[in-house]
DNA sequence: CCTATCACCTGCAGGC
DNA sequence: TGCCTGCAGGTGATAG
């Protein structure tokens, strides 16, 4: 589910709900979601730790524990819930429980079990953790410039959409916002990236940040119907121009939004407004 | 090194 | 109703 705006929403919501809480105990119910270290070490090392601050890089959540860093990725369907320990929950899909000393629990819910957690000794450079080995600069990292994007992208034999989705170049854009960015650029998602000119990369970065920050301000996006008053999952409403709008009128020209498959991902665009170069 | 494809999981919508 | 297929907002490993 989560792209950068949804992860940002989750981070800020957890920060507000949990604050500087101290961990009392940890229970892992689906061992595979823990990448490193082994389950016992993971639980033992978390016990007694206090969450100092909440952050993210791309779509990765970063829980700063002072001398350790807990890194989480929700992949497709992960959600976090903050509830009282006595509150009932969905045992079938909750795979990690972190009980706090104040009686609240952080519960990780994930129907497809794709999400992952990793715990490391704290490092100075937040990009240096093995879990972020394939993660490039965050879309809002100030070191990310149009020139940097140009250098990273223009020689690749891939399409515009694939370039936007490549987390190793720029971290945070997923399938929804990649479509929305292509629409904002008035470019066909299958445009070969080497056709873009240097000037285009300025627009690309501006529009990417405009769309991501707008979505984050709205609290993230939802497509499929989902309701949860207690969930911390970033699923709220936001107007999308083309994504998941097959057959609907383009907001610009009223032409019909088309759906294609690009690099195995469902891709939506307006054939009239978004031309290949 | 680069790109394409598969694997990881479960649930749900749509066709028959 | 039941079965089957395809599809879902992601990413790491593996095969060319």
């Amino acid at each position: 589910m989560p792209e950068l705006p949804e992860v940002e929403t989750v981070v800020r919501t957890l920060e507000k709900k949990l604050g500087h809480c101290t961990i009392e105990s940890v229970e892992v119910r689906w061992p595979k979601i823990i990448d490193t270290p082994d389950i016992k070490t993971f639980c033992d090392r978390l016990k007694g730790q206090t969450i100092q601050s909440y952050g993210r890089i791309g779509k990765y959540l970063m829980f700063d524990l002072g001398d350790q860093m807990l890194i989480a990725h929700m992949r497709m369907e992960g959600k976090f819930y903050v509830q009282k320990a006595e509150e009932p929950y969905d045992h079938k899909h909750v795979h990690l429980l972190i009980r706090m000393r104040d009686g609240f629990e952080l519960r990780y819910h994930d129907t497809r079990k794709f999400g992952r957690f990793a715990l490391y000794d704290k490092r100075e450079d937040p990009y240096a953790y093995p879990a972020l080995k394939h993660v490039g600069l965050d879309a809002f990292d100030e070191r990310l410039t149009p020139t940097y994007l140009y250098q990273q992208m223009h020689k690749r034999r891939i399409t515009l959409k694939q370039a936007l989705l490549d987390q190793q170049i720029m971290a945070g854009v997923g399938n929804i916002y990649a479509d929305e960015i292509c629409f904002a650029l008035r470019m066909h998602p299958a445009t070969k990236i080497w056709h873009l000119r240097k000037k285009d990369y300025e627009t690309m970065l501006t529009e990417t940040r405009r769309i991501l920050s707008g979505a984050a301000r709205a609290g993230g996006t939802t497509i499929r119907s989902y309701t949860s008053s207690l969930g911390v999952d970033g699923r709220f409403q936001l107007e999308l121009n083309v994504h998941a709008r097959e057959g609907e009128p383009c907001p610009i020209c009223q032409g019909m939004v088309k759906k294609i498959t690009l690099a195995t991902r469902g891709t939506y665009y307006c054939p009239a407004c978004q031309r290949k170069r």
Side-chain angles (χ1 to χ4, degrees):
Chain A
M1 80 68 180
E3 301 182 35
L4 187 152
E6 291 75 35
V7 178
E8 179 65 20
T9 301
V10 171
V11 165
R12 303 282 81 104
T13 309
L14 291 180
E15 182 175 52
K16 192 178 166 193
K17 290 200 177 195
L18 288 172
H20 299 277
C21 60
T22 300
I23 297 167
E24 183 172 284
S25 62
V26 178
E27 187 183 343
V28 177
R29 308 173 69 105
W30 185 263
K32 280 189 174 179
I33 67 166
I34 311 301
D35 265 340
T36 186
D38 62 85
I39 307 299
K40 187 178 185 307
T41 311
F42 180 84
C43 297
D44 289 349
R45 285 196 189 157
L46 280 178
K47 194 181 287 189
Q49 294 287 308
T50 298
I51 304 181
Q52 310 289 337
S53 66
Y54 300 76
R56 56 148 202 86
I57 291 179
K59 305 170 191 173
Y60 289 80
L61 290 123
M62 314 287 285
F63 298 88
D64 190 335
L65 305 169
D67 57 353
Q68 297 183 90
M69 184 70 83
L70 175 63
I71 302 181
H73 197 301
M74 301 182 279
R75 295 287 180 93
M76 300 286 267
E77 311 221 347
K79 306 177 204 27
F80 285 97
Y81 294 86
V82 177
Q83 293 169 318
K84 297 287 285 180
E86 60 268 26
E87 185 92 7
Y89 64 93
D90 177 7
H91 283 250
K92 189 176 180 186
H93 300 298
V94 169
H95 310 306
L96 174 67
L97 292 137
I98 302 181
R99 172 172 294 206
M100 308 301 175
R101 284 189 186 157
D102 62 6
F104 280 89
E105 267 183 11
L106 175 61
R107 296 165 174 172
Y108 179 69
H109 181 289
D110 190 345
T111 52
R112 291 171 77 181
K113 300 173 176 165
F114 279 175
R116 292 293 181 268
F117 290 77
L119 181 64
Y120 301 99
D121 287 329
K122 185 88 158 284
R123 299 190 182 197
E124 197 159 323
D125 176 8
Y127 285 91
Y129 298 102
L132 305 186
K133 190 178 169 186
H134 303 292
V135 179
L137 292 176
D138 184 84
F140 290 97
D141 194 305
E142 58 188 16
R143 293 169 288 179
L144 184 63
T145 62
T147 304
Y148 172 89
L149 281 180
Y150 171 77
Q151 289 167 349
Q152 295 291 312
M153 291 181 174
H154 86 289
K155 288 217 162 143
R156 305 278 303 274
R157 311 292 291 176
I158 55 178
T159 63
L160 168 61
K161 179 161 179 181
Q162 287 174 289
L164 290 168
L165 287 174
D166 189 334
Q167 302 299 299
Q168 200 147 16
I169 301 175
M170 170 173 66
V173 175
N175 204 37
I176 296 176
Y177 299 115
D179 284 356
E180 295 299 310
I181 293 163
C182 291
F183 178 77
L185 297 176
R186 302 284 182 271
M187 287 183 201
H188 193 297
T191 301
K192 309 295 187 187
I193 195 69
W194 61 88
H195 291 331
L196 301 217
R197 291 170 277 114
K198 272 190 177 175
K199 185 84 180 162
D200 295 322
Y201 287 89
E202 291 176 25
T203 326
M204 182 193 291
L205 188 55
T206 307
E207 289 303 307
T208 296
R209 287 176 169 164
R210 183 183 63 78
I211 288 166
L212 294 180
S213 58
R217 237 176 291 120
T221 296
T222 181
I223 297 173
R224 289 189 279 168
S225 64
Y226 179 90
T227 49
S228 163
S229 52
L230 293 171
V232 181
D233 55 24
R235 292 182 183 219
F236 296 82
Q237 288 295 335
L238 178 84
E239 278 303 312
L240 297 174
N241 285 309
V242 286
H243 189 85
R245 294 198 172 279
E246 184 182 19
E248 294 180 41
C250 162
I252 301 292
C253 74
Q254 314 305 317
M256 203 183 274
V257 172
K258 193 177 172 188
K259 181 183 183 185
I260 57 171
T261 298
L262 187 54
T264 75
R265 314 284 258 125
T267 300
Y268 303 81
Y269 71 104
C270 170
C273 297
Q274 296 171 259
R275 309 250 165 72
K276 275 188 211 173
R277 290 213 199 164

